[in-house]
Amino acid sequence: MGSGSSRGLLPSTVAVARRAAVSVGTVSRVLNGASDVNAELRRRVLKASRELGYVPKTPVKSIAVVVEEMHPQQPLGYVTTMVMSLIEELANHGYLAEITDAENLNHVRQARVNGVLGVVFDERIVSLREVPRLPIIAINSSMMLEHGIHSVSSDHFQQSRLAVEHLLAKGHRRIAFLETRGENWGSCRRLEGYRTTLEAAGVAVEESLIAYTRNQPVHDALDMLVRKGATALVNFSEDSALEVIHILTNIMRLSIPRDISVVSMEDLPVFNYLSPPHTVVVQPLKKLAQVAVEQMLRFCDRRSGSSGGELVDITLPCSLIERASVRDLTRE
């Protein structure tokens, strides 16, 4: 009888109530997370349910996190950091994160998820708008607004403006711009910020000082920029940022900042321990995750999502942390 059934049936709330010497109603309140249950009764119910192997069938709340370019071999990159921040923030609110590659959106259509958060660079998640009552928020992809998808982003135009203004203030005029690729929204906004800031300072934009790592080896891009006489580099190559620094210092044998100054993107912990410590532009990834999740939960609570109400378009400011990777030419 101690197992809760003489016929080998699975244990029930009745068996748990008997073992804990409480009512079935108390068992139900404890297992459903009610806060108005005496601590001792809660302890007895949980102990009894464990002893009997009783696992209640509770609904799982989950949000699909659709990702692109999440590479295990690049654990410090933007995508990985953003996804981990979303997982943590969702867990804080009692939600599970279902990580789904953008190549496999059918999983999202078939799964019973409460919403979608997209850490993406193209427009494939637009097809998910066909799913009824499914709220979708794109992170750092404001171009999704024109497709009726909510947006939470950092100010990518400001990122380049901060970097270029800092380099200009240090006397640099031949400032190179290095990005991963040129076709997505974030890259375009950064390039626009780079161009606008140089032009506002009366510095001509040289197309030969703009390069991308997606369509050529990183070494080739850097070699070209150095041969064109760049004295400073806006290193916004994201997942290749550390490779850029390695190639400059260990392969091309250039000294940072004596031979070339560098401002990188994201405040990865390693940047503070490089020699010299690197000046960086910081987008608030934790805050992005927090705002995106809070907005998603509002949608889930009122069950409106992408099909109702005004589109959400939130832009968060970025900042620059000055360290020692930029040479001050104004003092020479």
Side-chain angles (χ1 to χ4, degrees), residues 31-42:
L31 296 181
N32 284 311
S35 59
D36 60 344
V37 181
N38 176 277
E40 173 58 20
L41 293 181
R42 183 185 303 278

Side-chain angles (χ1 to χ4, degrees), residues 66-69 78-79 100-105 109 116-129 136-147 149-150 181-187 214:
V66 178
V67 300
E68 282 184 65
E69 302 181 10
Y78 157 72
V79 174
T100 302
D101 191 275
E103 296 282 351
N104 188 26
L105 294 181
R109 294 184 181 93
V116 175
L117 294 167
V119 185
V120 295
F121 304 100
D122 60 32
E123 300 176 357
R124 279 176 289 180
I125 65 169
V126 173
S127 65
L128 294 177
R129 291 204 65 217
I136 307 171
I137 297 177
I139 299 174
N140 276 340
S141 295
S142 284
M143 80 283 191
M144 296 296 182
L145 288 166
E146 62 189 68
H147 299 290
I149 292 177
H150 306 288
R181 52 180 165 179
E183 70 276 9
N184 65 49
W185 170 84
S187 298
R214 174 56 56 88

Side-chain angles (χ1 to χ4, degrees), residues 3-73:
S3 66
S5 173
S6 59
R7 298 181 181 180
L9 299 177
L10 292 174
S12 65
T13 54
V14 174
V16 175
R18 288 173 180 168
R19 174 66 68 93
V22 299
S23 69
V24 173
T26 297
V27 172
S28 178
R29 293 201 305 277
V30 169
L31 296 181
N32 284 311
S35 59
D36 60 344
V37 181
N38 176 277
E40 173 58 20
L41 293 181
R42 183 185 303 278
R43 185 193 67 77
R44 281 159 46 188
V45 169
L46 294 176
K47 182 173 182 291
S49 65
R50 287 287 186 181
E51 290 174 345
L52 294 173
Y54 177 71
V55 180
K57 294 182 179 180
T58 56
V60 177
K61 299 182 294 184
S62 63
I63 301 294
V65 179
V66 178
V67 300
E68 282 184 65
E69 302 181 10
M70 186 171 176
H71 304 305
Q73 67 270 29

Side-chain angles (χ1 to χ4, degrees), residues 162 166 262-264 266-267 272 277-282 318-326:
L162 289 170
H166 181 69
V262 179
V263 177
S264 295
E266 312 295 6
D267 188 25
N272 197 34
H278 275 239
T279 296
V280 294
V281 172
V282 184
C318 301
S319 59
L320 182 140
I321 299 176
E322 182 177 1
R323 296 191 179 115
S325 61
V326 175

